[in-house]
Amino acid sequence: MPMLIDTVDDPDARAACAHHSNHPDALIEVLHWLQASAGHISDAAIATIADALNLSRAEVLGVVSFYHDFRRQPGARHTFKLCRAEACQAAGAEAVAAAIEDQLEALSTTDHPPEFELKSVYCLGNCALGPAAMLDERPLGRLTAERALAALTRLDSRTGGKE
Ligand code: FES
Protein backbone atom coordinates (compact mmCIF):
# COMPACT_ATOMS: atom_id res chain seq x y z
CA MET A 1 0.00 0.00 0.00
CA PRO A 2 1.47 3.40 -0.92
CA MET A 3 2.00 5.83 1.95
CA LEU A 4 2.57 9.55 2.03
CA ILE A 5 6.00 10.54 3.26
CA ASP A 6 5.54 14.29 3.85
CA THR A 7 2.47 14.13 6.07
CA VAL A 8 0.44 11.74 8.16
CA ASP A 9 -1.45 9.22 6.10
CA ASP A 10 -5.14 8.97 7.05
CA PRO A 11 -6.03 5.26 7.01
CA ASP A 12 -9.78 5.94 6.98
CA ALA A 13 -9.46 8.24 3.97
CA ARG A 14 -7.25 5.70 2.23
CA ALA A 15 -9.79 2.93 2.90
CA ALA A 16 -12.66 5.10 1.65
CA CYS A 17 -10.79 5.78 -1.58
CA ALA A 18 -9.95 2.10 -2.01
CA HIS A 19 -13.63 1.26 -1.49
CA HIS A 20 -14.29 3.40 -4.59
CA SER A 21 -11.43 1.80 -6.54
CA ASN A 22 -9.39 5.02 -6.14
CA HIS A 23 -11.42 6.57 -8.94
CA PRO A 24 -11.23 10.39 -9.03
CA ASP A 25 -14.95 10.64 -9.82
CA ALA A 26 -15.65 9.25 -6.34
CA LEU A 27 -14.24 12.36 -4.63
CA ILE A 28 -17.62 13.63 -3.38
CA GLU A 29 -18.66 10.20 -2.09
CA VAL A 30 -15.34 9.80 -0.26
CA LEU A 31 -15.68 13.26 1.30
CA HIS A 32 -19.27 12.62 2.40
CA TRP A 33 -18.28 9.32 3.96
CA LEU A 34 -15.39 10.92 5.85
CA GLN A 35 -17.52 13.86 6.97
CA ALA A 36 -20.14 11.47 8.32
CA SER A 37 -17.65 9.17 10.04
CA ALA A 38 -14.99 11.60 11.32
CA GLY A 39 -17.04 14.79 11.57
CA HIS A 40 -14.56 16.79 9.52
CA ILE A 41 -12.01 16.58 6.70
CA SER A 42 -8.53 16.87 8.18
CA ASP A 43 -5.34 18.03 6.44
CA ALA A 44 -4.10 14.44 6.52
CA ALA A 45 -7.33 13.25 4.89
CA ILE A 46 -7.02 15.83 2.10
CA ALA A 47 -3.44 14.80 1.40
CA THR A 48 -4.33 11.11 1.49
CA ILE A 49 -7.35 11.51 -0.80
CA ALA A 50 -5.33 13.57 -3.27
CA ASP A 51 -2.67 10.88 -3.32
CA ALA A 52 -5.10 7.97 -3.61
CA LEU A 53 -7.34 9.53 -6.26
CA ASN A 54 -4.42 11.04 -8.20
CA LEU A 55 -5.71 14.59 -7.75
CA SER A 56 -3.89 17.66 -6.53
CA ARG A 57 -4.42 18.74 -2.93
CA ALA A 58 -5.76 22.02 -4.31
CA GLU A 59 -8.46 20.13 -6.24
CA VAL A 60 -9.56 18.25 -3.13
CA LEU A 61 -9.43 21.34 -0.94
CA GLY A 62 -11.40 23.28 -3.57
CA VAL A 63 -14.27 20.80 -3.36
CA VAL A 64 -14.12 20.69 0.46
CA SER A 65 -14.26 24.47 0.75
CA PHE A 66 -16.99 24.87 -1.90
CA TYR A 67 -19.61 22.79 -0.08
CA HIS A 68 -20.80 24.13 3.28
CA ASP A 69 -21.53 20.67 4.64
CA PHE A 70 -17.85 19.74 4.63
CA ARG A 71 -15.96 20.92 7.70
CA ARG A 72 -12.24 21.41 8.16
CA GLN A 73 -12.50 21.29 11.97
CA PRO A 74 -14.67 19.15 14.25
CA GLY A 75 -18.07 20.74 14.61
CA ALA A 76 -20.58 20.99 17.41
CA ARG A 77 -22.32 17.85 18.60
CA HIS A 78 -25.66 19.26 17.44
CA THR A 79 -26.40 21.57 14.54
CA PHE A 80 -29.51 23.71 14.39
CA LYS A 81 -30.01 24.70 10.74
CA LEU A 82 -32.52 27.52 10.70
CA CYS A 83 -34.02 28.62 7.41
CA ARG A 84 -33.68 32.37 6.94
CA ALA A 85 -35.03 32.61 3.40
CA GLU A 86 -37.98 34.86 2.55
CA ALA A 87 -40.93 32.60 3.39
CA CYS A 88 -39.50 31.66 6.76
CA GLN A 89 -38.47 35.25 7.48
CA ALA A 90 -42.05 36.32 6.82
CA ALA A 91 -43.24 33.65 9.26
CA GLY A 92 -40.93 34.84 12.06
CA ALA A 93 -37.55 33.13 11.56
CA GLU A 94 -35.58 36.15 12.75
CA ALA A 95 -37.26 36.10 16.17
CA VAL A 96 -36.47 32.40 16.43
CA ALA A 97 -32.84 33.08 15.41
CA ALA A 98 -32.49 35.80 18.04
CA ALA A 99 -33.85 33.51 20.75
CA ILE A 100 -31.51 30.68 19.75
CA GLU A 101 -28.50 33.00 19.57
CA ASP A 102 -29.28 34.29 23.08
CA GLN A 103 -29.67 30.74 24.39
CA LEU A 104 -26.43 29.54 22.80
CA GLU A 105 -24.58 32.52 24.19
CA ALA A 106 -25.95 31.73 27.64
CA LEU A 107 -24.91 28.09 27.24
CA SER A 108 -21.51 28.87 25.77
CA THR A 109 -18.62 27.27 27.52
CA THR A 110 -15.06 26.55 26.66
CA ASP A 111 -16.11 23.10 25.43
CA HIS A 112 -14.53 22.33 22.11
CA PRO A 113 -16.16 21.31 19.97
CA PRO A 114 -19.21 23.09 21.37
CA GLU A 115 -22.47 21.34 22.17
CA PHE A 116 -24.56 23.33 19.66
CA GLU A 117 -24.15 25.58 16.69
CA LEU A 118 -26.68 27.64 14.76
CA LYS A 119 -26.31 27.63 10.99
CA SER A 120 -28.35 29.76 8.63
CA VAL A 121 -29.66 27.98 5.56
CA TYR A 122 -31.74 29.33 2.73
CA CYS A 123 -34.74 27.10 2.07
CA LEU A 124 -35.16 23.59 3.36
CA GLY A 125 -38.05 22.89 1.01
CA ASN A 126 -40.45 23.13 3.92
CA CYS A 127 -41.68 26.67 3.28
CA ALA A 128 -45.34 25.94 4.07
CA LEU A 129 -44.32 25.06 7.63
CA GLY A 130 -42.09 28.06 8.24
CA PRO A 131 -40.22 29.04 10.19
CA ALA A 132 -38.52 25.75 9.34
CA ALA A 133 -35.35 24.19 10.69
CA MET A 134 -33.39 20.97 10.96
CA LEU A 135 -32.06 19.97 14.36
CA ASP A 136 -29.41 17.45 13.36
CA GLU A 137 -31.44 15.23 11.02
CA ARG A 138 -34.86 16.06 12.50
CA PRO A 139 -37.08 18.52 10.58
CA LEU A 140 -38.90 21.14 12.63
CA GLY A 141 -41.71 23.35 11.39
CA ARG A 142 -43.91 26.20 12.56
CA LEU A 143 -41.18 27.11 15.01
CA THR A 144 -41.60 29.65 17.72
CA ALA A 145 -38.80 30.80 19.97
CA GLU A 146 -40.26 28.66 22.77
CA ARG A 147 -40.44 25.49 20.63
CA ALA A 148 -36.92 26.01 19.31
CA LEU A 149 -35.50 26.46 22.81
CA ALA A 150 -37.39 23.42 24.08
CA ALA A 151 -35.92 21.32 21.25
CA LEU A 152 -32.41 22.51 22.13
CA THR A 153 -32.93 21.81 25.82
CA ARG A 154 -34.08 18.25 25.09
CA LEU A 155 -30.74 17.57 23.37
CA ASP A 156 -28.50 19.36 25.84
CA SER A 157 -26.38 16.67 27.47
CA ARG A 158 -25.41 19.08 30.25
CA THR A 159 -29.00 19.24 31.47
CA GLY A 160 -29.60 15.55 30.94
CA GLY A 161 -32.29 16.51 28.45
CA LYS A 162 -34.49 18.02 31.16
CA GLU A 163 -36.47 21.12 30.22
S1 FES B 1 -38.12 29.47 2.82
FE1 FES B 1 -37.75 28.37 4.64
S2 FES B 1 -38.05 26.31 4.08
FE2 FES B 1 -38.31 27.40 2.25
Side-chain angles (χ1 to χ4, degrees), residues 83 85-88 123-127 132:
C83 177
E86 288 80 0
C88 287
C123 199
L124 292 164
N126 200 12
C127 317

Side-chain angles (χ1 to χ4, degrees), residues 17-71:
C17 292
H19 179 75
H20 291 280
S21 305
N22 294 322
H23 199 286
D25 289 348
L27 175 58
I28 293 282
E29 287 86 353
V30 168
L31 292 173
H32 276 297
W33 184 85
L34 269 177
Q35 177 66 51
S37 64
H40 72 291
I41 313 293
S42 67
D43 289 343
I46 287 174
T48 303
I49 292 167
D51 180 62
L53 301 186
N54 198 25
L55 298 168
S56 72
R57 292 181 192 187
E59 288 173 298
V60 178
L61 185 57
V63 173
V64 170
S65 58
F66 182 79
Y67 293 103
H68 293 287
D69 284 342
F70 296 137
R71 297 172 181 276

